């Protein structure tokens, strides 16, 4: 996002006319997704296995890992919480990194959620799929240093940027993947708040940058002309696990967008609404959102984030920051509907953290996002899924079905109806 | 929080001197919490079973539930994501609802997290336990109504509050538990944004209030002198699943506080720091936090919320809003340390949603929070656990151990060291 | 805005079709508003005098007031800053309180500002004038009380609302105009933050509510079952002179909206743009605004507020809070443009503060807003003027003239061109 | 603040021990500042004239400027609003740019305001004066460009930073003072939001950067490989005239800090309070502030900003953004009180805008801030004055005098008492 950040430079995707209706995706939809019977579940599992996906751990037919393999992930371990996983898809993505048809795993207990993604994926496929772009990545840490007074602080703030080469070398020594991208400072009275921005490969990278920053600070202390009175390796300024607007200025994690153009007739068919009803409803919602003082403009991306993060072994606490995003829903000059979601604060990884756990590996496998070289791809898929959620909400608003959807399927013991249009 | 909200009126707890060191809690700590071996895990499980807790589903010795039991919770179901659960505790709580010693289940893959809660619980117990109070509860929905112009909108805004009795009756007809607590309106040009606040018993209540609001709107439409041009049952103004300051004005979910006073010698023993280092570090962090523009003032409550929400079958997406809170860390006139966390936006329930799932029932069982009459208790335990997390962070800042802790235990394949002081 | 707030209940205005083009207002425009010569200024002054307006102090032909008359307004007084005042208008307002044609005084040194209001007023008049509504008023103070622990705090929070009658009596004793409207509390650890909401007649009311709250607190201290450890008469929670979203929940000051519907042909004539260009530009701007994390959604209402506040003797520091508002700019089903501004945090008064100063009295006189019974009217005029500013910005964006306007008239020594269309 | 920003590099000031009480400043206080009589005013004026300050326009003894001199500042001009100006001071400043004793002009109608600054200046002088630092300056504009889809947008975002040299040349051609400092981009669906950061010499610079950005955009359009569908020269993302946290990341305007250390005995003498009461009160206030969701942490800096901005011909609407700041109030290890204010979003200038007006020139003259080379100095004086305001509030809170102060002097017709301690 900044000139200092690492700009992704993918080979250009072939761009087709997104507004044209296209044929159904090559991958087949899972059968009977709203049938809650054991038999229907078995059919879905078989279909996935037939398509070559490994789901034995999700299905419970493989034993969970030994406790010893959880070293570094947890203490006081006594067992596993089991969270139901549903599959929506396929969705056709025309991303810079994610290209093709994808089945998306969602871990949730909120009824109608998976069905709503399925419905929106169907719409998206009908519109030629979803364009997606992970445009940048970086993760920061923010040490602060207290000095005797504001003038000493100012002197440090002027000196600090001159140490970039030395700092870069120290950082590179802490990890094969961690690289220093940028330095920033601000003087707050006698204290200098700094930020160090890093690239972290395909890891979410929070621990990696903590270690790198610790090393950087220790080295700085040996170089500083005047020692600080006190310092913190992380002053909370990084934005870790809280919603802030700062990621709109400097990407935190990955910055990913997804977009789709919906022709008027598709809207009529899938939501019995029109473009004006969609944009009017969304305008009303964003004026409502503005009154909350919440950062960003969005309907409900938290559900998609939670569903994917739990399934894929991501740091679930990062939902708190990842919800900061912008959803757009606008009438095009041609009278169609343009919709996009941009997430500038997406902390996701395909290595490290909880990604090695068997069910996470299987969910990442469904997305072809296992291991190195896949984090930007995962970010694009997350953006696409949040866009599906937003379209579902806007469509429900426009068709007046918001509460009705909850009534039909959102409570225990009732089953959701398949959305009317296949 | 408002005069209209339902004020909890518990029988008064006996208040002991929180600053006095007290004997160890009656419940025994689990053994060897940082030993990752299978044998150690088995010992921990046995201890919990000996104490009367059911953990067969967590332990994997009971079969997961049939797909049919998930009707209303998920579609496209194919299996379960397994998230590791660790236990920290016991922690002694002197709450209005939660009283006694509690083992707290945390579902996470972030190394050192459970150990850090354990360390803080040890500190808290040494200080006589933690005071806690769930002081209020309500959940809102925010329909909006568009009229021909601002004068029609103004007329509706004046008429709407006069319909309170009729609305209360309609709402009460939608659920045994749902009750209307208050009405609010604001005129935004030709559109009136309203809020209806409800009590929802021991459910988190989001679906319950959606259904009640839908019924209320349908009834209103039959009563309104002038029909709206358009309306939404939820305009996003409710604050659902996004961080906003509004809950500081009107509680959203439960409002719960936890507090503890730490004598100087306890701080010295457990963190090799002093009160001044604790408050100075925290001041530096909250000035850092202020610079992010994030709502509230806190270090990292998202980790505790995520760990408890996944374990206990809560709506994980609500982490996005629950992180809005205030952590205090202050020197008392007597030279001790006062610390508290207040969460005014805590969407938790002990019935409904995902709480019926077996591993969630077991985790709620560890907290004696199964079923009706327990939601306020759960809210207090959540507040206590977030306070433990905050104290760990502040202690680590003060003792310079922030990064070191990550280095020792936060990465795969290394084991966390038991905090030095038992 | 809340059910507790004082809802304005004006006699209903006659509502005409706002989308119809109407004849020019009865009042005549001032001549040659962009002619900077002394002669042109004299002509403008004469026209205002002919219309019966007093402007001798603005014109400098009356002596400034004696220092003694400034007692209670300033210390260390040595003289007066002179800020240039320009007049835009007339604008036709169809408000609940402001009805008729108004000349609006703007104190500014920002070139093109008055001309841009003039242009937008011309547009508005062409559309039948502007509808406006001041829908509610209240001002709050927020004392806090620290107790021994959270349980004592909780007990106070339950007791406090029971004292409403006594508090109302104490408050009424402090002023003829000040009345208690509502009470709120929130427990933050061992401290209870309260809010008292008041009506303050036609004064802005900040001093009035401070005195009332001081008296209320003193009385409370004589009634409280348990004395607080410490307390503040104002904990900053009131939102005084800072931008916060709280006024969207509970009005702070006055809540005023202004709205207009612009037919496509008017947009074409006055901005050489169309409805789509207007809404597209505004959408781009509000997505930009969302990325700043600023509260509310608006283009630049601060200019109108500053110009009116300085001219009319308002508390200029309150611009900091009054900028929190929502601007809407939407395509109607009929293909016209709906635009509105709502200011829920408008601290204005027509008595007290600096309103008695001679040039303020003259500026208020231009608006027929002198003295009691006029504050809601002033609030509506402020809303109309901010809407004019927003329309100018959106129009300039849509016609690509944003920077060009600055180039032509925004720098010293160049004269602004009269907007092309009269 | 960023590595890209222009770091001020002043020659280092001599730093004395700020905690030591020092002798009174060389400059003498104005006599009888709370005496409202004409005679007392005349005495104050004479003293200032004796000290060599020009105040004829403030005093009304020089004629206001001809209308023709206001070309570029206003249209529809009819005369001048007169705003009372009071003087507080002297205050001793040990800044990087502002060094010596200063009389500060405040334009206000809020009683007790000038007296409260005077009281705090007395305290500050007793503590050896105030350290101050303007550490950085830059002003931004934020054009946006809409493309066909997210992939075209991504391509532009990668291309844009490569044009830096060309852009810098275009920018330099628009003004002697305007220089391009940095470029930033973010992809939001099919639209790229950019920011250009500039240095603007001693001007506030908003018009200067608008013109530069307009030229930059026009040049870009001739260079772009793919033309945008639409674009705006300013997308509101710059943060102009609204409160946002972005300035904490990248300075907007000037970033200035002021700080002072107050020995315990000074606090006892001037506020009849102690360090603990000061920090406790401030902690209560900042927890109150946090609940509002307002950006930054401060008590009431808007009053100082408004008073100085009106007096000194600054853009008063910029109060809306300048209030974003951080006030610190902390107990030092030695038991004294550390207090500071940092304003990272201070739009001030000493040339351009309204600074050429006679009363503004005189007020700037009181501060030795007339003309080029003085903007950083003015920024430091503003920071010092806001710190004085914050200390007054904290002191009043701590001594329980908050409301009492309003009662004594804040209402018309009563005279403020001189603060007890000289």
């Amino acid at each position: 996002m900044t000139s200092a950040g690492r700009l992704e430079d993918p080979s250009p995707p072939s761009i087709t006319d997104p507004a044209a209706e296209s044929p159904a995706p090559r991958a087949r939809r899972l059968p009977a997704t709203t049938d809650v019977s054991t038999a229907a579940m078995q059919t879905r599992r078989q279909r996935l296995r037939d398509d070559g996906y490994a789901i034995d751990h999700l299905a419970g037919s493989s034993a969970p890992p030994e406790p010893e393999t959880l070293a570094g992930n947890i203490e006081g371990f006594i067992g596993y919480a089991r969270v139901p996983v549903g599959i929506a898809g396929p969705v056709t993505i025309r991303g810079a990194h994610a290209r093709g048809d994808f089945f998306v795993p969602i871990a949730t207990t909120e009824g109608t959620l998976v069905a709503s993604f399925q419905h929106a994926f169907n719409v998206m496929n009908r519109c030629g799929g979803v364009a997606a772009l992970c445009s940048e990545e970086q993760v920061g840490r923010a040490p602060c240093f207290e000095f005797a007074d504001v003038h000493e602080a100012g002197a440090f703030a002027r000196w600090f940027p001159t140490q970039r080469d030395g700092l870069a070398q120290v950082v590179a020594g802490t990890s094969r993947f961690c690289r220093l991208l940028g330095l920033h400072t601000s003087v707050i009275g006698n204290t200098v708040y700094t930020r160090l921005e890093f690239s972290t490969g395909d890891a979410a990278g929070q621990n990696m940058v903590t270690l790198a920053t610790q090393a950087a600070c220790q080295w700085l202390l040996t170089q500083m002309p005047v020692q600080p009175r006190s310092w913190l390796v992380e002053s909370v300024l990084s934005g870790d696990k809280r919603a802030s607007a700062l990621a709109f200025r400097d990407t935190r994690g990955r910055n990913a967008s997804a977009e789709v153009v919906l022709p008027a007739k598709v809207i009529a068919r899938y939501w019995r609404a029109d473009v004006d009803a969609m944009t009017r409803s969304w305008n009303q919602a964003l004026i409502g959102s503005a009154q909350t003082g919440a950062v960003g403009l969005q309907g409900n991306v938290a559900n998609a984030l939670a569903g994917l993060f739990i399934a894929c072994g991501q740091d679930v606490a990062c939902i708190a920051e990842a919800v900061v995003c912008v959803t757009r829903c606008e009438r095009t000059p041609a009278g169609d509907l343009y919709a996009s979601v941009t997430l500038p604060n997406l902390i996701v990884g395909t290595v490290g953290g909880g990604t090695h756990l068997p069910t996470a590996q299987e969910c990442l496998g469904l997305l072809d996002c296992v291991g190195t070289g896949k984090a930007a791809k995962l970010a694009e898929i997350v953006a696409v899924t949040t866009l599906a959620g937003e379209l579902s909400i806007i469509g429900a608003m426009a068709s007046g079905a918001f509460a009705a959807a909850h009534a039909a399927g959102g409570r225990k013991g009732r089953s959701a109806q398949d959305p009317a249009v296949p």
Side-chain angles (χ1 to χ4, degrees), chain A:
Chain A
M1 185 178 279
T2 72
S3 54
R6 197 186 73 170
L7 289 164
E8 299 282 340
D9 194 0
S11 50
S14 62
I15 297 172
T16 60
D17 177 7
E21 290 207 23
S22 64
R26 293 173 301 278
R28 299 168 299 165
R29 288 178 56 190
L30 294 185
T33 51
T34 57
D35 183 339
V36 300
S37 69
T38 301
M41 177 194 70
Q42 297 292 12
T43 307
R44 289 190 291 270
R45 287 178 175 171
Q46 193 55 47
R47 171 74 70 78
L48 290 171
R49 287 179 172 123
D50 291 348
D51 285 357
Y53 296 109
I55 57 165
D56 283 358
H57 284 278
L58 288 164
S61 46
S62 287
E66 294 303 306
E68 287 80 0
T69 67
L70 299 175
N73 282 127
I74 197 165
E75 304 83 43
F77 174 72
I78 62 154
Y80 292 95
R82 290 192 198 108
V83 186
V85 173
I87 300 288
V91 57
T92 303
I93 305 179
R94 298 177 294 102
H97 303 273
R99 299 184 198 172
D101 299 335
F102 295 87
F103 287 105
V104 178
I106 301 289
T108 190
T109 58
E110 181 170 338
T112 75
L113 193 63
V114 177
S116 71
F117 292 132
Q118 183 64 59
H119 190 64
F121 285 166
N122 296 347
V123 175
M124 289 166 159
N125 293 340
R126 190 61 78 161
C127 301
V130 189
L133 175 65
C134 177
S135 61
E136 199 171 4
E137 62 101 341
Q138 64 180 7
V139 183
R141 276 287 172 217
C144 71
F145 302 88
E146 181 198 10
F147 293 92
D149 62 22
V150 69
H151 294 299
E152 264 191 31
F156 173 76
R158 291 187 294 275
W159 172 82
F160 178 71
T162 68
Q163 303 302 302
R164 181 168 172 151
D165 290 348
L167 286 165
Q169 201 169 344
V170 170
V171 165
T174 63
S175 155
R176 266 187 306 155
F177 300 105
C178 197
R179 294 296 177 268
L180 183 68
L181 294 175
L183 299 178
H184 305 252
T185 66
S186 60
V187 176
I188 305 288
N190 68 356
T191 304
V192 179
Y193 285 76
T194 70
R195 284 179 304 118
L196 292 80
E197 302 284 356
F198 305 94
S199 62
T200 61
D202 289 284
Q206 295 130 302
N207 285 338
M208 191 188 291
V209 301
T210 300
L211 294 169
T213 305
Q214 174 76 4
C217 289
Q218 295 291 1
W219 179 81
L220 273 177
L221 292 171
T222 67
Q223 306 291 315
M224 289 166 68
V226 178
Q227 288 294 301
R229 289 184 169 182
S230 69
W231 63 285
L232 295 180
V233 73
E234 169 57 43
S235 65
V236 180
L237 178 57
S238 69
D240 198 11
K241 298 181 183 178
R242 73 200 63 229
S244 92
L246 296 186
F248 285 117
R249 185 141 284 190
D250 293 303
T251 293
R252 180 167 164 79
R254 323 272 160 179
N255 182 335
S257 284
E259 74 178 359
V260 67
V261 174
L262 295 85
K265 64 180 169 183
V266 171
I267 292 170
R269 182 172 180 188
Y270 281 83
W271 284 300
R272 297 192 181 89
D274 59 21
V275 172
D276 281 350
M278 299 286 276
T279 56
R280 186 197 64 220
S281 298
W282 180 243
N283 275 341
Q284 290 173 339
L286 66 80
I287 295 297
S289 173
Q291 295 175 62
T292 67
V295 173
L297 286 175
Q298 45 105 4
N300 188 338
V301 298
N303 281 338
L305 293 168
L308 273 162
F309 277 26
I310 298 174
C312 296
Q314 305 301 304
D315 187 340
V316 174
C318 289
I319 293 168
E321 55 186 293
V323 290
V324 173
C325 67
V326 166
T327 300
R328 292 171 50 193
C329 176
E330 300 158 9
R331 192 171 173 275
T332 70
D336 297 324
L337 189 77
Y338 174 88
S340 71
V341 170
T342 298
L343 301 142
N345 195 148
L346 197 47
I347 300 278
V348 292
T350 55
V351 299
T355 59
H356 70 97
L357 292 174
T359 60
Q361 284 282 300
E362 289 183 356
C363 287
L364 290 168
L366 284 162
L367 303 170
D368 185 29
C369 283
V370 174
T372 56
K374 302 291 189 182
K377 183 178 191 177
L378 178 58
E380 291 179 357
I381 295 169
V382 172
V384 168
T385 309
T386 57
L387 178 57
E390 297 294 78
L391 282 174
S392 282
I393 287 172
I394 298 169
M397 286 173 167
S399 62
F402 184 88
H406 276 82
R411 289 196 299 181
K412 189 75 201 84
R414 303 185 185 182
S415 57
Q417 298 306 309
D418 222 342
V421 181

